[in-house]
Amino acid sequence: MGMTGVLKLYFCESNLPTPDYIKRAAAEAMSEGYTFYTENAGLFPLRCELARYYRTLHGVELDPESEIVVTASGVQALNVAIRTVLDPGDEALVLTPAWPNGSSIVTMASARPVEIPHPLKGDRYEIDFGALEQALSPRTRLLIYTSPSNPLGWVATESEQQRLLDFCRQHDLWLLADEVYDRLYYETATLGTPVPSILRKARRDDAVMVAQSFSKTYCMTGWRLGWLIARADLARKATQLNEFIISHAASFAQKAGEIALRQGEGELVAMLRRLKENRDFCLEALRRMPGVTVPKPDGAFYLFPKIEGLSDSFDFCRRLLIETRVGLAPGVAFGAGGEGSVRLCYAADKSVLEPAVERLGSFLRHG
Ligand SMILES: Cc1ncc(COP(=O)(O)O)c(C=O)c1O
């Protein structure tokens, strides 16, 4: 981390600062007195704004009083969701490669993550429903999936969502969908259209939870603001748990989040245009490199190239860093199915991406 001159493509964030209108909203909220504690479920107007957001974007009706919990980040939404449904000794099925925090939180709850890799079929990752079925045990309580995926960029199809939901209904499992990248979606006629939320398919009494965040959509990683949607009984428990972990997200950040939801569409679309261009540039460059296979990702801002013959992605990334000053994340960090690949975040500027892929290409040819 202390090395200078590194082209950093290993982080999970864009290099764009938070838009000014959001910063101004936070400053105004502070001067208006939003410096006190709020409800553990978050400020009610923000929950109402989230309900409006789901109505507008997904045609889903949510009760802001009982089904929405504001959290201090997406990872906090995952934390309260997982801890609320798992007892020590329980098991959670986790679709991987995935951002490792889901599995880690399961372990921290003294439960066991059972990782089920997404198989690559042709140019697309899929879900191995046979492996899910085989991994079931009397202690299985939860299934976690991430769509759009970090690190794959994979997006669940509607029929995959339906099968996941049916699988969980049939086996009496909670289904936790990590949808924090839902707005970063490129395979749509109009940029800005979200990936359809699992909530469009779920009934109100389904054991379904959605973890969400302001971090990626609004470039608010450092603000620590997210939300959890859940069935009312679980949302109530998650709200109680919030009290003992952090109580609630910062009050002025919540006010700024409300404005982001209301006014953010224009800046979001501009960012998506740039991200899509970056994706296509990096994808094309990677596909020209020897021994590299990389499916086209539909969402998020990552590419996850598989490198022929690679068996130690950590060592590969270390050598790449030392010899070329290009920072990538080793695939092994993302759990089962991750080894043999590396993750590249293409949310940086072209001025960083161009030399980085150039150096990676020559490292692969000569390194
Ligand atoms: C898949 C996924 N879920 C959740 C998060 C959490 O985001 P945050 O805690 O910044 O809201 C991240 C962050 O990188 C992520 O990649």
Side-chain angles (χ1 to χ4, degrees):
M1 295 297 276
M3 201 182 258
T4 53
V6 176
L7 303 175
K8 295 175 186 162
L9 307 185
Y10 45 67
F11 278 141
C12 303
E13 64 185 345
S14 151
N15 63 338
L16 295 176
T18 305
D20 282 340
Y21 75 91
I22 300 177
K23 292 191 229 170
R24 272 198 306 275
E28 277 163 26
M30 265 196 237
S31 61
E32 281 166 16
Y34 284 94
T35 58
F36 295 98
Y37 289 131
T38 76
E39 301 92 305
N40 291 336
L43 288 166
F44 191 63
L46 173 56
R47 283 183 274 149
C48 290
E49 194 54 39
L50 284 165
R52 186 203 56 81
Y53 185 80
Y54 277 92
R55 188 179 311 119
T56 314
L57 289 176
H58 297 288
V60 168
E61 282 301 327
L62 293 171
D63 176 12
E65 192 75 66
S66 65
E67 294 170 324
I68 303 175
V69 184
V70 175
T71 57
S73 75
V75 70
Q76 174 70 354
L78 290 173
N79 196 11
V80 291
I82 293 169
R83 286 185 164 230
T84 305
V85 299
L86 293 183
D87 280 333
D90 283 346
E91 293 175 11
L93 304 174
V94 185
L95 298 191
T96 58
W99 194 54
N101 295 35
S103 288
S104 299
I105 294 167
V106 169
T107 307
M108 278 175 62
S110 303
R112 193 168 80 88
V114 178
E115 297 186 341
I116 309 292
H118 286 282
L120 180 59
K121 295 265 170 66
D123 195 30
R124 192 174 180 278
Y125 284 97
E126 292 185 353
I127 299 175
D128 189 342
F129 283 95
L132 280 175
E133 197 85 42
Q134 277 180 1
L136 286 168
S137 89
R139 295 306 302 264
T140 313
R141 295 280 179 276
L142 170 67
L143 191 158
I144 307 174
Y145 80 101
T146 311
S147 166
S149 153
N150 170 10
L152 303 176
W154 165 84
V155 173
T157 61
E158 297 214 23
S159 82
E160 284 168 332
Q161 283 183 325
Q162 189 61 53
R163 283 186 74 184
L164 285 173
L165 191 55
D166 291 343
F167 177 81
C168 289
R169 282 174 179 159
Q170 188 187 347
H171 299 289
D172 209 10
L173 308 180
W174 282 93
L175 179 59
L176 171 55
D178 180 334
E179 297 187 349
V180 309
Y181 293 99
D182 72 331
R183 304 304 305 275
L184 309 188
Y185 183 41
Y186 314 108
E187 296 311 305
T188 151
T190 323
L191 282 180
T193 305
V195 170
S197 170
I198 187 77
L199 295 170
R200 293 191 193 186
K201 302 207 175 301
R203 293 188 309 257
R204 266 205 141 90
D205 61 345
D206 270 321
V208 168
M209 307 175 277
V210 171
Q212 261 289 10
S213 172
F214 287 78
S215 288
K216 319 293 174 176
T217 307
Y218 303 109
C219 302
M220 289 174 72
T221 49
W223 294 64
R224 316 314 296 136
L225 189 62
W227 70 89
L228 178 71
I229 309 289
R231 204 173 68 189
D233 56 345
L234 185 117
R236 194 166 55 248
K237 284 289 163 199
T239 302
Q240 286 173 339
L241 189 55
N242 235 358
E243 161 71 20
F244 307 121
I245 300 175
I246 191 157
S247 300
H248 61 78
S251 0
F252 46 88
Q254 294 188 49
K255 285 313 279 181
E258 201 183 312
I259 299 297
L261 294 171
R262 214 177 291 147
Q263 299 177 15
E265 296 300 306
E267 296 231 11
L268 171 63
V269 170
M271 178 173 82
L272 290 174
R273 251 184 240 122
R274 172 178 163 274
L275 286 174
K276 189 173 183 200
E277 236 180 78
N278 286 359
R279 178 198 67 167
D280 293 344
F281 165 75
C282 291
L283 186 63
E284 208 176 290
L286 284 168
R287 284 182 165 170
R288 283 198 303 266
M289 292 178 196
V292 169
T293 318
V294 54
K296 185 177 179 188
D298 293 342
F301 43 41
Y302 308 104
L303 285 156
F304 200 61
K306 208 173 197 29
I307 299 172
E308 201 182 320
L310 183 65
S311 58
D312 187 345
S313 53
F314 192 86
D315 178 63
F316 177 90
C317 288
R318 187 180 10 222
R319 284 192 294 115
L320 181 76
L321 179 66
I322 293 168
E323 291 172 33
T324 73
R325 293 287 198 267
V326 173
L328 300 183
V332 68
F334 301 95
E339 185 54 288
S341 298
V342 292
R343 189 194 69 182
L344 177 158
C345 173
Y346 56 78
D349 272 340
K350 269 279 183 58
S351 60
V352 173
L353 294 175
E354 278 172 5
V357 293
E358 165 82 40
R359 288 183 209 175
L360 173 63
S362 84
F363 182 78
L364 281 171
R365 278 189 294 274
H366 313 296

PDB file of all heavy atoms in Angstrom, residues 69-97:
ATOM      1  N   VAL A  69     -34.649  -0.878   6.385  1.00  0.00           N
ATOM      2  CA  VAL A  69     -33.752  -0.476   7.479  1.00  0.00           C
ATOM      3  C   VAL A  69     -32.546   0.233   6.873  1.00  0.00           C
ATOM      4  O   VAL A  69     -31.837  -0.349   6.035  1.00  0.00           O
ATOM      5  CB  VAL A  69     -33.251  -1.713   8.275  1.00  0.00           C
ATOM      6  CG1 VAL A  69     -32.402  -1.277   9.471  1.00  0.00           C
ATOM      7  CG2 VAL A  69     -34.402  -2.588   8.722  1.00  0.00           C
ATOM      8  N   VAL A  70     -32.312   1.465   7.267  1.00  0.00           N
ATOM      9  CA  VAL A  70     -31.124   2.184   6.791  1.00  0.00           C
ATOM     10  C   VAL A  70     -29.943   1.669   7.603  1.00  0.00           C
ATOM     11  O   VAL A  70     -30.050   1.463   8.814  1.00  0.00           O
ATOM     12  CB  VAL A  70     -31.308   3.706   6.988  1.00  0.00           C
ATOM     13  CG1 VAL A  70     -30.040   4.462   6.608  1.00  0.00           C
ATOM     14  CG2 VAL A  70     -32.493   4.200   6.168  1.00  0.00           C
ATOM     15  N   THR A  71     -28.820   1.436   6.925  1.00  0.00           N
ATOM     16  CA  THR A  71     -27.643   0.886   7.614  1.00  0.00           C
ATOM     17  C   THR A  71     -26.433   1.774   7.333  1.00  0.00           C
ATOM     18  O   THR A  71     -26.427   2.546   6.373  1.00  0.00           O
ATOM     19  CB  THR A  71     -27.331  -0.534   7.116  1.00  0.00           C
ATOM     20  OG1 THR A  71     -27.150  -0.489   5.698  1.00  0.00           O
ATOM     21  CG2 THR A  71     -28.449  -1.510   7.458  1.00  0.00           C
ATOM     22  N   ALA A  72     -25.423   1.623   8.167  1.00  0.00           N
ATOM     23  CA  ALA A  72     -24.197   2.403   7.953  1.00  0.00           C
ATOM     24  C   ALA A  72     -23.305   1.635   6.978  1.00  0.00           C
ATOM     25  O   ALA A  72     -22.272   1.110   7.353  1.00  0.00           O
ATOM     26  CB  ALA A  72     -23.483   2.643   9.279  1.00  0.00           C
ATOM     27  N   SER A  73     -23.740   1.520   5.737  1.00  0.00           N
ATOM     28  CA  SER A  73     -23.027   0.886   4.614  1.00  0.00           C
ATOM     29  C   SER A  73     -23.684  -0.406   4.147  1.00  0.00           C
ATOM     30  O   SER A  73     -24.518  -0.988   4.865  1.00  0.00           O
ATOM     31  CB  SER A  73     -21.561   0.554   4.933  1.00  0.00           C
ATOM     32  OG  SER A  73     -21.475  -0.578   5.774  1.00  0.00           O
ATOM     33  N   GLY A  74     -23.258  -0.832   2.973  1.00  0.00           N
ATOM     34  CA  GLY A  74     -23.731  -2.107   2.429  1.00  0.00           C
ATOM     35  C   GLY A  74     -23.205  -3.268   3.254  1.00  0.00           C
ATOM     36  O   GLY A  74     -23.926  -4.242   3.511  1.00  0.00           O
ATOM     37  N   VAL A  75     -21.974  -3.162   3.694  1.00  0.00           N
ATOM     38  CA  VAL A  75     -21.405  -4.273   4.454  1.00  0.00           C
ATOM     39  C   VAL A  75     -22.127  -4.408   5.792  1.00  0.00           C
ATOM     40  O   VAL A  75     -22.325  -5.519   6.300  1.00  0.00           O
ATOM     41  CB  VAL A  75     -19.859  -4.145   4.591  1.00  0.00           C
ATOM     42  CG1 VAL A  75     -19.433  -3.024   5.485  1.00  0.00           C
ATOM     43  CG2 VAL A  75     -19.271  -5.449   5.108  1.00  0.00           C
ATOM     44  N   GLN A  76     -22.598  -3.303   6.310  1.00  0.00           N
ATOM     45  CA  GLN A  76     -23.382  -3.340   7.548  1.00  0.00           C
ATOM     46  C   GLN A  76     -24.756  -3.972   7.300  1.00  0.00           C
ATOM     47  O   GLN A  76     -25.283  -4.683   8.148  1.00  0.00           O
ATOM     48  CB  GLN A  76     -23.502  -1.912   8.098  1.00  0.00           C
ATOM     49  CG  GLN A  76     -24.402  -1.756   9.287  1.00  0.00           C
ATOM     50  CD  GLN A  76     -23.813  -2.387  10.538  1.00  0.00           C
ATOM     51  OE1 GLN A  76     -22.773  -3.033  10.488  1.00  0.00           O
ATOM     52  NE2 GLN A  76     -24.483  -2.225  11.638  1.00  0.00           N
ATOM     53  N   ALA A  77     -25.306  -3.733   6.102  1.00  0.00           N
ATOM     54  CA  ALA A  77     -26.579  -4.391   5.748  1.00  0.00           C
ATOM     55  C   ALA A  77     -26.372  -5.903   5.692  1.00  0.00           C
ATOM     56  O   ALA A  77     -27.185  -6.675   6.208  1.00  0.00           O
ATOM     57  CB  ALA A  77     -27.095  -3.861   4.404  1.00  0.00           C
ATOM     58  N   LEU A  78     -25.254  -6.322   5.085  1.00  0.00           N
ATOM     59  CA  LEU A  78     -24.950  -7.762   5.042  1.00  0.00           C
ATOM     60  C   LEU A  78     -24.774  -8.300   6.458  1.00  0.00           C
ATOM     61  O   LEU A  78     -25.262  -9.375   6.809  1.00  0.00           O
ATOM     62  CB  LEU A  78     -23.653  -8.012   4.256  1.00  0.00           C
ATOM     63  CG  LEU A  78     -23.694  -7.773   2.747  1.00  0.00           C
ATOM     64  CD1 LEU A  78     -22.285  -7.887   2.153  1.00  0.00           C
ATOM     65  CD2 LEU A  78     -24.605  -8.788   2.068  1.00  0.00           C
ATOM     66  N   ASN A  79     -24.073  -7.534   7.267  1.00  0.00           N
ATOM     67  CA  ASN A  79     -23.775  -7.956   8.630  1.00  0.00           C
ATOM     68  C   ASN A  79     -25.053  -8.197   9.441  1.00  0.00           C
ATOM     69  O   ASN A  79     -25.245  -9.275  10.009  1.00  0.00           O
ATOM     70  CB  ASN A  79     -22.894  -6.875   9.280  1.00  0.00           C
ATOM     71  CG  ASN A  79     -22.198  -7.369  10.531  1.00  0.00           C
ATOM     72  OD1 ASN A  79     -22.192  -8.553  10.826  1.00  0.00           O
ATOM     73  ND2 ASN A  79     -21.638  -6.461  11.278  1.00  0.00           N
ATOM     74  N   VAL A  80     -25.937  -7.203   9.464  1.00  0.00           N
ATOM     75  CA  VAL A  80     -27.147  -7.392  10.283  1.00  0.00           C
ATOM     76  C   VAL A  80     -28.052  -8.472   9.687  1.00  0.00           C
ATOM     77  O   VAL A  80     -28.660  -9.255  10.414  1.00  0.00           O
ATOM     78  CB  VAL A  80     -27.938  -6.079  10.554  1.00  0.00           C
ATOM     79  CG1 VAL A  80     -27.179  -5.155  11.477  1.00  0.00           C
ATOM     80  CG2 VAL A  80     -28.325  -5.373   9.288  1.00  0.00           C
ATOM     81  N   ALA A  81     -28.081  -8.551   8.350  1.00  0.00           N
ATOM     82  CA  ALA A  81     -28.925  -9.573   7.718  1.00  0.00           C
ATOM     83  C   ALA A  81     -28.436 -10.970   8.104  1.00  0.00           C
ATOM     84  O   ALA A  81     -29.211 -11.818   8.561  1.00  0.00           O
ATOM     85  CB  ALA A  81     -28.898  -9.406   6.194  1.00  0.00           C
ATOM     86  N   ILE A  82     -27.151 -11.198   7.934  1.00  0.00           N
ATOM     87  CA  ILE A  82     -26.603 -12.547   8.167  1.00  0.00           C
ATOM     88  C   ILE A  82     -26.683 -12.912   9.643  1.00  0.00           C
ATOM     89  O   ILE A  82     -27.105 -13.996  10.024  1.00  0.00           O
ATOM     90  CB  ILE A  82     -25.147 -12.617   7.641  1.00  0.00           C
ATOM     91  CG1 ILE A  82     -25.143 -12.496   6.116  1.00  0.00           C
ATOM     92  CG2 ILE A  82     -24.461 -13.902   8.099  1.00  0.00           C
ATOM     93  CD1 ILE A  82     -23.781 -12.298   5.482  1.00  0.00           C
ATOM     94  N   ARG A  83     -26.319 -11.958  10.487  1.00  0.00           N
ATOM     95  CA  ARG A  83     -26.311 -12.254  11.928  1.00  0.00           C
ATOM     96  C   ARG A  83     -27.719 -12.476  12.466  1.00  0.00           C
ATOM     97  O   ARG A  83     -27.918 -13.150  13.469  1.00  0.00           O
ATOM     98  CB  ARG A  83     -25.636 -11.131  12.686  1.00  0.00           C
ATOM     99  CG  ARG A  83     -24.151 -11.194  12.459  1.00  0.00           C
ATOM    100  CD  ARG A  83     -23.429 -10.173  13.278  1.00  0.00           C
ATOM    101  NE  ARG A  83     -22.034 -10.550  13.305  1.00  0.00           N
ATOM    102  CZ  ARG A  83     -21.311 -10.636  14.405  1.00  0.00           C
ATOM    103  NH1 ARG A  83     -21.834 -10.358  15.557  1.00  0.00           N
ATOM    104  NH2 ARG A  83     -20.047 -10.989  14.339  1.00  0.00           N
ATOM    105  N   THR A  84     -28.697 -11.887  11.810  1.00  0.00           N
ATOM    106  CA  THR A  84     -30.068 -12.034  12.284  1.00  0.00           C
ATOM    107  C   THR A  84     -30.635 -13.418  11.955  1.00  0.00           C
ATOM    108  O   THR A  84     -31.467 -13.928  12.684  1.00  0.00           O
ATOM    109  CB  THR A  84     -30.952 -10.922  11.679  1.00  0.00           C
ATOM    110  OG1 THR A  84     -30.352  -9.675  11.994  1.00  0.00           O
ATOM    111  CG2 THR A  84     -32.339 -10.913  12.252  1.00  0.00           C
ATOM    112  N   VAL A  85     -30.153 -14.016  10.859  1.00  0.00           N
ATOM    113  CA  VAL A  85     -30.777 -15.305  10.484  1.00  0.00           C
ATOM    114  C   VAL A  85     -29.965 -16.542  10.873  1.00  0.00           C
ATOM    115  O   VAL A  85     -30.505 -17.644  10.842  1.00  0.00           O
ATOM    116  CB  VAL A  85     -31.127 -15.384   8.971  1.00  0.00           C
ATOM    117  CG1 VAL A  85     -32.119 -14.303   8.607  1.00  0.00           C
ATOM    118  CG2 VAL A  85     -29.905 -15.321   8.095  1.00  0.00           C
ATOM    119  N   LEU A  86     -28.678 -16.377  11.214  1.00  0.00           N
ATOM    120  CA  LEU A  86     -27.862 -17.565  11.491  1.00  0.00           C
ATOM    121  C   LEU A  86     -27.598 -17.761  12.983  1.00  0.00           C
ATOM    122  O   LEU A  86     -27.283 -16.811  13.697  1.00  0.00           O
ATOM    123  CB  LEU A  86     -26.515 -17.464  10.769  1.00  0.00           C
ATOM    124  CG  LEU A  86     -26.556 -17.518   9.243  1.00  0.00           C
ATOM    125  CD1 LEU A  86     -25.147 -17.474   8.680  1.00  0.00           C
ATOM    126  CD2 LEU A  86     -27.288 -18.759   8.745  1.00  0.00           C
ATOM    127  N   ASP A  87     -27.704 -19.011  13.404  1.00  0.00           N
ATOM    128  CA  ASP A  87     -27.275 -19.408  14.745  1.00  0.00           C
ATOM    129  C   ASP A  87     -25.906 -20.078  14.620  1.00  0.00           C
ATOM    130  O   ASP A  87     -25.565 -20.577  13.538  1.00  0.00           O
ATOM    131  CB  ASP A  87     -28.257 -20.430  15.330  1.00  0.00           C
ATOM    132  CG  ASP A  87     -29.512 -19.757  15.884  1.00  0.00           C
ATOM    133  OD1 ASP A  87     -29.413 -18.581  16.288  1.00  0.00           O
ATOM    134  OD2 ASP A  87     -30.563 -20.406  15.890  1.00  0.00           O
ATOM    135  N   PRO A  88     -25.148 -20.147  15.719  1.00  0.00           N
ATOM    136  CA  PRO A  88     -23.879 -20.874  15.669  1.00  0.00           C
ATOM    137  C   PRO A  88     -24.110 -22.304  15.173  1.00  0.00           C
ATOM    138  O   PRO A  88     -25.082 -22.960  15.575  1.00  0.00           O
ATOM    139  CB  PRO A  88     -23.411 -20.867  17.132  1.00  0.00           C
ATOM    140  CG  PRO A  88     -24.031 -19.628  17.705  1.00  0.00           C
ATOM    141  CD  PRO A  88     -25.364 -19.501  17.023  1.00  0.00           C
ATOM    142  N   GLY A  89     -23.249 -22.729  14.253  1.00  0.00           N
ATOM    143  CA  GLY A  89     -23.351 -24.096  13.721  1.00  0.00           C
ATOM    144  C   GLY A  89     -24.216 -24.199  12.470  1.00  0.00           C
ATOM    145  O   GLY A  89     -24.213 -25.213  11.784  1.00  0.00           O
ATOM    146  N   ASP A  90     -24.959 -23.130  12.132  1.00  0.00           N
ATOM    147  CA  ASP A  90     -25.756 -23.135  10.898  1.00  0.00           C
ATOM    148  C   ASP A  90     -24.832 -23.045   9.683  1.00  0.00           C
ATOM    149  O   ASP A  90     -23.640 -22.736   9.803  1.00  0.00           O
ATOM    150  CB  ASP A  90     -26.712 -21.924  10.878  1.00  0.00           C
ATOM    151  CG  ASP A  90     -27.931 -22.130  11.771  1.00  0.00           C
ATOM    152  OD1 ASP A  90     -28.166 -23.276  12.186  1.00  0.00           O
ATOM    153  OD2 ASP A  90     -28.622 -21.137  12.048  1.00  0.00           O
ATOM    154  N   GLU A  91     -25.421 -23.277   8.513  1.00  0.00           N
ATOM    155  CA  GLU A  91     -24.642 -23.190   7.274  1.00  0.00           C
ATOM    156  C   GLU A  91     -25.317 -22.234   6.294  1.00  0.00           C
ATOM    157  O   GLU A  91     -26.546 -22.142   6.260  1.00  0.00           O
ATOM    158  CB  GLU A  91     -24.527 -24.574   6.623  1.00  0.00           C
ATOM    159  CG  GLU A  91     -23.682 -25.520   7.466  1.00  0.00           C
ATOM    160  CD  GLU A  91     -23.639 -26.941   6.925  1.00  0.00           C
ATOM    161  OE1 GLU A  91     -24.092 -27.174   5.788  1.00  0.00           O
ATOM    162  OE2 GLU A  91     -23.144 -27.805   7.666  1.00  0.00           O
ATOM    163  N   ALA A  92     -24.463 -21.551   5.532  1.00  0.00           N
ATOM    164  CA  ALA A  92     -24.972 -20.652   4.493  1.00  0.00           C
ATOM    165  C   ALA A  92     -24.333 -21.037   3.168  1.00  0.00           C
ATOM    166  O   ALA A  92     -23.111 -21.210   3.092  1.00  0.00           O
ATOM    167  CB  ALA A  92     -24.615 -19.213   4.831  1.00  0.00           C
ATOM    168  N   LEU A  93     -25.157 -21.183   2.134  1.00  0.00           N
ATOM    169  CA  LEU A  93     -24.622 -21.428   0.793  1.00  0.00           C
ATOM    170  C   LEU A  93     -24.259 -20.072   0.200  1.00  0.00           C
ATOM    171  O   LEU A  93     -25.067 -19.140   0.232  1.00  0.00           O
ATOM    172  CB  LEU A  93     -25.676 -22.105  -0.088  1.00  0.00           C
ATOM    173  CG  LEU A  93     -26.276 -23.420   0.456  1.00  0.00           C
ATOM    174  CD1 LEU A  93     -27.402 -23.900  -0.457  1.00  0.00           C
ATOM    175  CD2 LEU A  93     -25.183 -24.476   0.570  1.00  0.00           C
ATOM    176  N   VAL A  94     -23.037 -19.953  -0.306  1.00  0.00           N
ATOM    177  CA  VAL A  94     -22.591 -18.663  -0.849  1.00  0.00           C
ATOM    178  C   VAL A  94     -22.115 -18.887  -2.279  1.00  0.00           C
ATOM    179  O   VAL A  94     -21.216 -19.702  -2.512  1.00  0.00           O
ATOM    180  CB  VAL A  94     -21.421 -18.086  -0.013  1.00  0.00           C
ATOM    181  CG1 VAL A  94     -21.042 -16.689  -0.512  1.00  0.00           C
ATOM    182  CG2 VAL A  94     -21.776 -18.039   1.471  1.00  0.00           C
ATOM    183  N   LEU A  95     -22.751 -18.193  -3.239  1.00  0.00           N
ATOM    184  CA  LEU A  95     -22.296 -18.321  -4.626  1.00  0.00           C
ATOM    185  C   LEU A  95     -21.005 -17.526  -4.789  1.00  0.00           C
ATOM    186  O   LEU A  95     -20.950 -16.328  -4.462  1.00  0.00           O
ATOM    187  CB  LEU A  95     -23.352 -17.805  -5.602  1.00  0.00           C
ATOM    188  CG  LEU A  95     -24.700 -18.531  -5.612  1.00  0.00           C
ATOM    189  CD1 LEU A  95     -25.540 -18.090  -6.813  1.00  0.00           C
ATOM    190  CD2 LEU A  95     -24.530 -20.039  -5.646  1.00  0.00           C
ATOM    191  N   THR A  96     -19.968 -18.186  -5.285  1.00  0.00           N
ATOM    192  CA  THR A  96     -18.657 -17.550  -5.451  1.00  0.00           C
ATOM    193  C   THR A  96     -18.158 -17.778  -6.882  1.00  0.00           C
ATOM    194  O   THR A  96     -18.740 -18.612  -7.583  1.00  0.00           O
ATOM    195  CB  THR A  96     -17.628 -18.150  -4.470  1.00  0.00           C
ATOM    196  OG1 THR A  96     -17.539 -19.565  -4.697  1.00  0.00           O
ATOM    197  CG2 THR A  96     -17.979 -17.861  -3.028  1.00  0.00           C
ATOM    198  N   PRO A  97     -17.072 -17.129  -7.352  1.00  0.00           N
ATOM    199  CA  PRO A  97     -16.291 -16.111  -6.664  1.00  0.00           C
ATOM    200  C   PRO A  97     -17.163 -14.920  -6.267  1.00  0.00           C
ATOM    201  O   PRO A  97     -18.009 -14.471  -7.046  1.00  0.00           O
ATOM    202  CB  PRO A  97     -15.254 -15.694  -7.702  1.00  0.00           C
ATOM    203  CG  PRO A  97     -15.225 -16.797  -8.704  1.00  0.00           C
ATOM    204  CD  PRO A  97     -16.568 -17.409  -8.700  1.00  0.00           C
TER     205      PRO A  97
END
